[in-house]
Amino acid sequence: MNHRSNYIGYAIARLAQSIVVIALAYTFTFLIINVLPGDPITNMLLDPENGFSPADIEPIIAYYGLDKPVLEQLWIALSRFVVGDLGISLRSNLPVSGLVLSALPSTLVLALSALAVALVVAFLLAFASQNLPPRYGQGLLRLLPAASLSVPAFIIGIFLIQIFAFQFGLFRITSPNSFAATAFAAIALGIPVSAQIAEVLIANLDHEARQEYFSVARSRGLSRFELFAHHQFRPSSLPVVTMIALAIGELLGGSLITESIFGRTGIGSLVQGAVSSQDYPVIQAVVSLAAAVFVIVNLIADLVYPLLDPRLRTRNRGREPLADEPLVDTEAVAK
Amino acid sequence: MTLLIPTPVTRRRTRFAAWDVPLAVILSFLFVTLVIAWSLFPSLFAGYDPYFGDTSRKLLPPSGEFWFGTDHLGRDVFSRVVHGSWSSVTSAAIAVCIGLVVGGFLGLVSGFVAGWTDVIVARFIDVLLAIPNFLLAVVIVSSFGFQTINVAIATGIASVAIFARVMRAETLKASTSVFVEASGLLGGSRWHILLRHILPNAYRSILALAVLQFGSCILIIAGLAFLGYGDPPPAADWGVLVSNGKDYPSSPWLVFAPSLVIVATVLAINRISRWLRR
Amino acid sequence: MNMPYTIDLPDLLHVEGLSVSYGGETVVQNASFALKKGQALALIGESGSGKSTIAKAVLGLLPETARTAGRISFKDRNLLELSDRVFRPLRGRSIGFVPQDPQNALNPVRTIGAHAHESARLLDLSGRTAERTAIFETLELVGLSEPERIYRSYPHELSGGMLQRVLIGLAVLPRPEVIVADEPTSALDVTIQKRILDLLSRLRSSLDLSLLLITHDLALAAERADSVVVLKGGEVQETGPSSRVFLKPSSDYTRKLQNDVPSLNPFRFRTAERRANAGEGTGDPFIRVQSVSRIFDTGDRQVRAVDDVSFSLQSGRTHALVGESGSGKTTLARLLLGLDTPDSGAITVNGQRVHGRSTSALRDLRRDLQLVYQNPFTSLDPTWKVKSIVREPLDRYAIGSRQERDERVHEAISAVGLSEDLLRRRPAALSGGQRQRVAIARALTLRPKMLVLDEPTSALDVTVQAGIVEALFALQERFGLTYLFVSHDLSLVRQVADTVSVLRHGRLIEQGPVDQIFENPAEPYTRLLLESIPAANAAQSAAAQPGYARLSLVKTA
């Protein structure tokens, strides 16, 4: 069918676009790190306080091509990045890809549980915003997403630790990978994200309730639940796919500070360590990988969305109806 | 004439009759004004020296004399919050200015000029959006050096993308509107259309976004300061206060007081932005 | 159909002293009427008349903030007192609903079949297969020949007319006693409009339905309803059998309404002399359009939006482009203004070619050639004040001194019949009619020779429309303007135009003096269009009944 080949064309175009964006994100990060401050790696290596001997420095300079022009350095780095080589850490002398891989699982667990928390909270809030009778504090509940958007993850985290670790002893900060500690870290990271999703979801639900088809469905004698489920919730929930994809950035960035507060090791603490020890290849790798993850997740969301929304699934037929009524009734004319 | 679109539910609210401003917005304005006053004239509000304390009265809980209590060096936390507002507020203001000017310009060019310029700028915006905001700010600070001014610049660069995106959308919306085509028919040049039709129509959303970003920049800057990327202690940036306070779990006011001020400020700013957007 | 009101049928729905208010603002005041079994009753009114609010009240769909008083009796119950839970079983089963805009009345992410099962469930059939059979039968009943395909389709895959048939099918499927139809055809093209109304009439007699028809169109109500209720500002102006209200209106408002409906007053504005000279031209035409074509590429295929169209227009005359949606009439107007370029053919204005000019040459040409847009709600910049809006072209073309410009603004504003205290307002503080007058004033300040009017009144109420048309005639008289009038409304075209081109799918079907086209159409499509105008049918059906003469309905000059 025609729309299928159109979809494939669209997918290929989006894929190409994503690859370009990832490469550009790598370049952009490279320029920020290597060009703006003026050859920081060499400076860092030559700083006597860091204790590198000339024998240490030489292979590093050769490896990164630090004696060559910046564009050539970028080309060396980019061609390694394309094949998955993230370089060598200046501090530990280990491949960066290994460092990232060992840090990744912990961060993935945190980010995915935070996403789960965010979705559960957002959907509960959205459901309550439509179905809770006004006298049971629906108005107050509707203020909640906007309010929790004003509270950053690190403040939520510290409060959770103060209350649940120190006051109630529900978890111990000294064992950050325990289930309870992970759960609270996920809450801290997930709440701001849930607020964003809930806000959009509630706005969509309100929007659907104002649509003519909602009232027409009501005039067909549907029960409250059927109305909510089929004519309000279903069309409202589709954009959540896009929201989740956009939230990935928030979750990755937020894991930095959440891991620091809860004392977890992971990508966040890897970056923090790299920043304080000026281990630039690690910073470069993590930032460009985060960008790549964000771009790929958004690519998937964009490719899945047309399959979920029938209006986009057959969007080429939208302009030309399957079979329009003929404008002239042949019988009418014949008369 | 549609029968079924229900009339919007009119909510009862206390309003300042003359301006039709909700009470919550008035209170938000008052609070933000207060915070700005703190940052401009801290000595008018703070009764104690923010940097030197009296160790004989360290870690005192909040009282009539020390509203937010005292810290481990006996410094008045309220005075430190008031003095810290300068760096938090100005950093956020600098960040918003960078985002607004750079992002607004990019969005305007991309939306109005169209063609290849639009394609290139749009990809650049995609790149900025792809790198998580907070991480981007961290990278920029780490390569510029750990200072509050660099934190502000980094946060500003990280917010360029959102300004550019909204400005582009607003520009596109306005430039495809019927009244812009009408102005062309009535002899209006492109500059006239840009300055007199497109910008005035985009202005309101951009203003609301700038206010909203002011709030989220305060949060990002506090987060970066919390991680120690800003000016080192004894600087009293709000994020630093929270960070220092968390080492004294038995004196929770050291965390709660500055946190409360951060949250209240951002809440007030968000409320104002929401009101502007309506 | 004969003398329906005299037969003593039982009241099915009885509205007594109904008042509805929102937060202190009364929308409906003390309305009373009765719908008899098997009859059709029309609620007529313009925007803000409260007709839709009454319909909502009958359907139990008023928002919770609405306060009501009075009674709506249906089967010995007062609908106003029923809770949502008690009301729900009545919805669909007893009272069906056909909405105004079929494009928005079905959930875009569900199939037609999913919607239909919601209705079919009210029949309490034994299973899904039985429901499906009932659905297919009903879809065929409403004239959809391929029920299986329709059943599987999503709303966006069907045309407006098909969707409205689907919605009528969904409403009649559970066999209700009353159907409330809210402007069921106002979003549709005129030929499809007629077929949908025919369908409703047919179903009404075959299924023994009562119909509560909400409409702004007096002629349509007279044609399709047994009795009418005329509303204005929430109050009932007049109630009675439709033939009586139509022929001998007793209230001033109905008389005004009747006077302002174009289809009933084709000769209201054009003098007999002007009509006699309609087809004649003197000298070179002001506008000459020569075999113009415009093709749009939509990716998969090419659409010939305008296909080899020619016409010419004498100075000081009005020419109309008339057609249904997709006829190419608006594209043609945009080509004329140089907003778009034809793929072939030529357009000259005052002897000068419109296309292939430099930007500044086109700018000079446009001083004589101005456009009034269809929708005055989007054509005025909401951030500007009326005074700057009207002054904008003068400033842009740098005409005269500041003082002279101000004088011209005042002149233009009073020429379109607006008072000067509106000058300091912004568009949001004006009514639709006022906004359109501002748009006309803006187009006039440059003292152009010609105005292109793109459906200038289609967003406005009929009484407001009459005022605008009257103003346009006065301006034409005063400044010797030439008009190109683009419209889908044939009766309006007959009122305003000297000559007319009938367009369809981008092609010219027929053109000539307006009276000739309307009285002796040569082409079947033109005849079909004319037959679809409600008033013409009302006149004919009235003429078929004893005592009503066609000429008494449609006023001659």
Side-chain angles (χ1 to χ4, degrees):
Chain A
M1 274 201 81
N2 195 13
H3 66 265
R4 175 162 297 168
S5 67
N6 267 315
Y7 178 76
I8 292 170
Y10 165 74
I12 290 171
R14 276 295 279 112
L15 183 67
Q17 197 185 28
S18 303
I19 292 169
V20 170
V21 170
I22 293 173
L24 286 176
Y26 188 92
T27 309
F28 184 70
T29 319
F30 185 88
L31 294 180
I32 288 177
I33 292 178
N34 293 285
V35 177
L36 286 178
D39 204 0
I41 300 185
T42 317
N43 291 344
M44 178 264 187
L45 294 173
L46 294 177
D47 190 336
E49 272 186 37
N50 290 326
F52 286 96
S53 72
D56 296 334
I57 295 174
E58 203 125 324
I60 299 177
I61 288 183
Y63 180 78
Y64 288 108
L66 293 176
D67 47 352
K68 300 195 174 98
V70 172
L71 280 182
E72 211 166 314
Q73 294 179 33
L74 170 63
W75 179 248
I76 294 172
L78 201 52
S79 33
R80 286 194 185 126
F81 176 68
V82 168
V83 295
D85 179 355
L86 300 174
I88 309 252
S89 160
L90 300 180
R91 290 289 171 182
S92 62
N93 231 350
L94 294 168
V96 176
S97 43
L99 294 176
V100 170
L101 276 183
S102 62
L104 198 58
S106 154
T107 301
L108 268 186
V109 168
L110 176 62
L112 290 179
S113 2
L115 183 60
V117 169
L119 287 176
V120 170
V121 173
F123 278 97
L124 282 178
L125 274 179
F127 183 79
S129 78
Q130 302 299 317
N131 297 307
L132 201 67
R135 62 176 176 281
Y136 295 123
Q138 202 204 80
L140 207 65
L141 191 128
R142 282 167 165 267
L143 293 176
L144 217 54
S148 41
L149 273 179
S150 313
V151 191
F154 73 91
I155 288 184
I156 299 176
I158 291 175
F159 274 53
L160 289 177
I161 291 174
Q162 290 272 3
I163 295 167
F164 294 102
F166 297 153
Q167 303 292 323
F168 297 131
L170 287 185
F171 67 100
R172 266 179 313 178
I173 197 87
T174 46
S175 54
N177 289 318
S178 69
F179 177 78
T182 307
F184 279 103
I187 291 172
L189 185 55
I191 292 293
V193 176
S194 83
Q196 291 173 12
I197 298 178
E199 201 167 39
V200 172
L201 201 51
I202 291 175
N204 284 347
L205 287 169
D206 289 347
H207 175 77
E208 295 302 327
R210 285 194 303 271
Q211 293 302 301
E212 179 137 355
Y213 58 75
F214 181 79
S215 304
V216 175
R218 204 174 151 208
S219 80
R220 248 177 267 132
L222 295 191
S223 69
R224 260 197 92 84
F225 177 76
E226 286 172 306
L227 261 182
F228 176 76
H230 297 310
H231 294 279
Q232 204 182 358
F233 180 72
R234 170 110 189 270
S236 306
S237 60
L238 292 180
V240 172
V241 175
T242 315
M243 289 295 299
I244 292 173
L246 289 173
I248 294 297
E250 183 95 352
L251 291 171
L252 289 174
S255 68
L256 196 76
I257 211 160
T258 313
E259 283 176 5
S260 150
I261 292 166
F262 285 85
R264 294 171 64 89
T265 50
I267 297 288
S269 58
L270 184 68
V271 174
Q272 259 216 298
V275 165
S276 58
S277 64
Q278 296 171 282
D279 198 343
Y280 295 103
V282 175
I283 304 177
Q284 166 83 57
V286 171
V287 172
S288 35
L289 280 182
V293 169
F294 181 86
V295 170
I296 290 167
V297 171
N298 277 278
L299 171 68
I300 294 170
D302 281 0
L303 294 183
V304 166
Y305 201 88
L307 305 179
L308 298 177
D309 190 333
R311 278 164 295 185
L312 299 175
R313 187 161 57 210
T314 54
R315 66 168 152 187
N316 295 301
R317 282 193 283 170
R319 256 183 260 125
E320 32 172 331
L322 289 178
D324 206 341
E325 296 171 291
L327 279 175
V328 182
D329 249 333
T330 34
E331 313 143 61
V333 175
K335 264 190 284 183
Chain B
M1 197 79 24
T2 35
L3 161 58
L4 285 165
I5 294 178
T7 337
V9 183
T10 44
R11 272 193 268 166
R12 264 168 213 283
R13 269 201 200 136
T14 330
R15 286 181 185 281
F16 266 55
W19 307 320
D20 198 30
V21 181
L23 183 65
V25 174
I26 303 270
L27 292 176
S28 301
F29 265 116
L30 288 178
F31 187 73
V32 173
T33 314
L34 177 70
V35 171
I36 291 172
W38 284 357
S39 69
L40 293 177
F41 314 106
S43 40
L44 285 184
F45 299 91
Y48 294 88
D49 189 306
Y51 304 116
F52 296 101
D54 181 348
T55 41
S56 66
R57 42 174 207 228
K58 64 177 183 182
L59 295 176
L60 294 179
S63 63
E65 195 181 358
F66 304 106
W67 292 359
F68 291 172
T70 61
D71 69 2
H72 61 291
L73 296 175
R75 294 175 295 195
D76 176 33
V77 176
F78 178 71
S79 297
R80 282 178 67 72
V81 168
V82 169
H83 279 271
S85 58
W86 166 254
S87 77
S88 299
V89 169
T90 41
S91 307
I94 291 170
V96 169
C97 285
I98 293 174
L100 182 64
V101 171
V102 180
F105 177 76
L106 285 177
L108 194 64
V109 168
S110 137
F112 191 63
V113 179
W116 274 105
T117 323
D118 181 30
V119 174
I120 292 166
V121 175
R123 280 302 83 74
F124 180 65
I125 297 172
D126 278 350
V127 169
L128 284 179
L129 281 175
I131 304 174
N133 244 348
F134 196 73
L135 217 48
L136 179 59
V138 168
V139 178
I140 296 172
V141 180
S142 75
S143 91
F144 282 12
F146 299 158
Q147 276 175 33
T148 300
I149 180 69
N150 291 343
V151 166
I153 294 170
T155 311
I157 295 174
S159 69
V160 162
I162 177 87
F163 276 103
R165 213 166 58 150
V166 173
M167 190 65 177
R168 179 169 180 272
E170 288 293 323
T171 309
L172 281 177
K173 194 175 99 193
S175 49
T176 52
S177 64
V178 178
F179 60 79
V180 161
E181 187 188 275
S183 179
L185 277 178
L186 298 163
S189 64
R190 275 172 75 74
W191 277 110
H192 165 77
I193 287 173
L194 180 66
L195 295 177
R196 298 296 313 280
H197 289 293
I198 292 178
L199 280 181
N201 278 285
Y203 154 82
R204 205 184 169 97
S205 333
I206 290 296
L207 180 69
L209 178 70
V211 173
L212 187 73
Q213 281 296 307
F214 187 61
S216 53
C217 284
I218 287 183
L219 293 185
I220 294 179
I221 288 165
L224 291 168
F226 176 86
L227 288 178
Y229 296 153
D231 288 344
D237 194 282
W238 290 346
V240 176
L241 294 180
V242 178
S243 167
N244 289 346
K246 81 175 189 325
D247 300 333
Y248 300 89
S250 51
S251 313
W253 59 88
L254 291 182
V255 167
F256 286 9
S259 300
L260 210 66
V261 173
I262 295 174
V263 171
T265 309
V266 178
L267 201 58
I269 290 169
N270 286 354
R271 184 66 191 87
I272 294 170
S273 169
R274 221 163 273 267
W275 172 71
L276 287 171
R277 223 183 319 160
R278 121 210 96 113
Chain C
M1 263 287 278
N2 278 348
M3 309 303 277
Y5 220 71
T6 54
I7 300 166
D8 203 17
L9 290 165
D11 287 351
L12 186 63
L13 186 77
H14 200 157
V15 175
E16 289 164 283
L18 174 69
S19 295
V20 183
S21 61
Y22 295 108
E25 194 193 344
T26 306
V27 192
V28 175
Q29 182 135 35
N30 201 20
S32 302
F33 59 86
L35 173 61
K36 290 177 184 298
K37 186 151 177 50
Q39 298 281 291
L41 175 102
L43 299 180
I44 305 170
E46 298 182 287
S47 41
S49 64
K51 59 186 192 298
S52 289
T53 307
I54 294 177
K56 273 191 226 176
V58 170
L59 290 160
L61 294 177
L62 285 173
E64 283 167 18
T65 47
R67 297 193 174 196
T68 55
R71 237 187 112 77
I72 301 179
S73 312
F74 179 75
K75 293 185 170 175
D76 305 324
R77 286 202 277 190
N78 182 359
L79 295 182
L80 291 177
E81 285 170 358
L82 301 184
S83 70
D84 197 58
R85 182 180 290 277
V86 186
F87 205 117
R88 194 187 305 142
L90 293 176
R91 293 203 188 104
R93 275 199 186 88
S94 300
I95 307 175
F97 175 54
V98 177
Q100 173 178 24
D101 179 4
Q103 312 274 7
N104 278 325
L106 291 163
N107 187 339
V109 302
R110 310 193 84 206
T111 59
I112 304 295
H115 286 95
H117 278 288
E118 292 171 356
S119 289
R121 216 173 318 138
L122 303 178
L123 287 171
D124 298 319
L125 296 170
S126 51
R128 239 182 129 71
T129 333
E131 282 180 13
R132 241 167 107 107
T133 316
I135 290 167
F136 285 3
E137 274 169 16
T138 307
L139 289 178
E140 271 177 8
L141 182 70
V142 295
L144 294 164
S145 53
E146 290 178 85
E148 282 124 79
R149 199 190 47 130
I150 303 286
Y151 180 89
R152 283 196 315 270
S153 298
Y154 283 97
H156 69 275
E157 297 170 329
L158 306 179
S159 70
M162 292 167 98
L163 288 176
Q164 195 58 290
R165 283 173 194 268
V166 166
L167 284 157
I168 291 172
L170 295 189
V172 299
L173 185 56
R175 301 280 177 266
E177 288 150 275
V178 188
I179 294 267
V180 178
D182 178 29
E183 304 256 12
T185 57
S186 59
L188 302 173
D189 272 328
V190 59
T191 50
I192 294 172
Q193 187 173 344
K194 174 172 187 292
R195 291 200 273 161
I196 294 291
L197 289 168
D198 287 347
L199 171 68
L200 269 177
S201 305
R202 205 184 75 220
L203 290 174
R204 192 159 70 78
S205 55
S206 65
L207 302 177
D208 195 26
L209 289 166
S210 306
L211 179 68
L212 184 62
L213 178 70
I214 288 106
T215 180
H216 66 280
D217 189 336
L218 184 64
L220 187 149
E223 184 190 67
R224 302 287 173 172
D226 302 304
S227 47
V228 294
V229 176
V230 182
L231 289 155
K232 184 192 176 220
E235 289 179 61
V236 173
Q237 304 293 312
E238 187 164 359
T239 321
S242 50
S243 49
R244 205 271 296 146
V245 173
F246 197 61
L247 288 171
K248 296 195 190 82
S250 62
S251 69
D252 291 344
Y253 178 68
T254 316
R255 266 196 292 278
K256 176 167 170 47
L257 208 55
Q258 199 193 34
N259 204 31
D260 288 343
V261 172
S263 56
L264 306 179
N265 310 280
F267 310 123
R268 177 168 170 193
F269 297 107
R270 285 181 308 132
T271 58
E273 186 202 356
R274 185 165 170 175
R275 281 192 286 133
N277 298 331
E280 291 162 27
T282 47
D284 285 337
F286 185 73
I287 298 281
R288 190 191 292 274
V289 174
Q290 287 167 300
S291 20
V292 163
S293 295
R294 179 76 176 97
I295 299 159
F296 290 117
D297 238 342
T298 60
D300 313 341
R301 59 178 195 147
Q302 293 189 324
V303 177
R304 305 186 77 86
V306 176
D307 194 356
D308 194 25
V309 173
S310 306
F311 67 87
S312 59
L313 170 53
Q314 296 293 331
S315 183
R317 300 281 175 164
T318 303
H319 183 74
L321 301 176
V322 70
E324 297 184 287
S325 50
S327 64
K329 55 189 190 300
T330 296
T331 310
L332 202 49
R334 294 176 64 82
L335 288 169
L336 182 71
L337 288 156
L339 288 169
D340 197 357
T341 314
D343 293 304
S344 64
I347 300 174
T348 55
V349 173
N350 214 0
Q352 295 174 291
R353 283 185 73 121
V354 175
H355 298 94
R357 303 167 76 90
S358 68
T359 317
S360 67
L362 186 59
R363 195 166 176 262
D364 291 341
L365 186 71
R366 281 182 183 151
R367 268 188 74 159
D368 288 339
L369 192 61
Q370 285 294 322
L371 171 66
V372 175
Y373 287 92
Q374 172 174 15
N375 188 344
F377 291 83
T378 57
S379 67
L380 308 177
D381 189 331
T383 62
W384 285 37
K385 291 188 173 147
V386 169
K387 186 172 180 181
S388 327
I389 290 173
V390 179
R391 250 179 79 119
E392 184 179 7
L394 297 173
D395 291 338
R396 292 303 104 209
Y397 280 98
I399 287 163
S401 65
R402 287 186 73 85
Q403 207 189 339
E404 282 166 357
R405 291 181 207 170
D406 279 346
E407 279 167 19
R408 278 224 208 169
V409 168
H410 286 274
E411 196 182 300
I413 277 289
S414 64
V416 296
L418 289 176
S419 81
E420 300 200 345
D421 49 306
L422 297 182
L423 285 171
R424 274 184 317 226
R425 295 201 199 159
R426 286 184 214 281
L430 304 180
S431 69
Q434 285 173 330
R435 287 183 210 209
Q436 199 56 296
R437 283 172 194 260
V438 169
I440 295 170
R442 173 175 68 176
L444 284 176
T445 44
L446 286 174
R447 298 194 180 135
K449 298 199 173 73
M450 170 166 181
L451 287 188
V452 176
L453 303 151
D454 183 7
E455 305 247 18
T457 58
S458 68
L460 308 173
D461 276 328
V462 59
T463 51
V464 180
Q465 165 174 293
I468 299 269
V469 170
E470 195 157 23
L472 285 174
F473 268 90
L475 293 168
Q476 188 168 42
E477 190 93 327
R478 191 166 151 198
F479 299 113
L481 290 165
T482 309
Y483 289 148
L484 181 69
F485 196 93
V486 178
S487 182
H488 70 282
D489 184 341
L490 285 104
S491 8
L492 181 62
V493 164
R494 182 162 205 199
Q495 250 187 342
V496 302
D498 298 304
T499 48
V500 60
S501 299
V502 180
L503 296 166
R504 182 180 177 225
H505 293 341
R507 262 193 291 265
L508 185 68
I509 298 294
E510 184 170 10
Q511 67 185 4
V514 83
D515 292 336
Q516 181 197 315
I517 299 282
F518 275 69
E519 275 153 29
N520 289 309
E523 295 294 322
Y525 178 67
T526 316
R527 271 205 296 279
L528 179 71
L529 281 180
L530 293 173
E531 278 164 15
S532 303
I533 305 175
N537 290 351
Q540 278 156 6
S541 61
Q545 288 172 27
Y548 301 145
R550 179 182 179 148
L551 289 183
S552 65
L553 270 166
V554 178
K555 289 178 202 160
T556 44

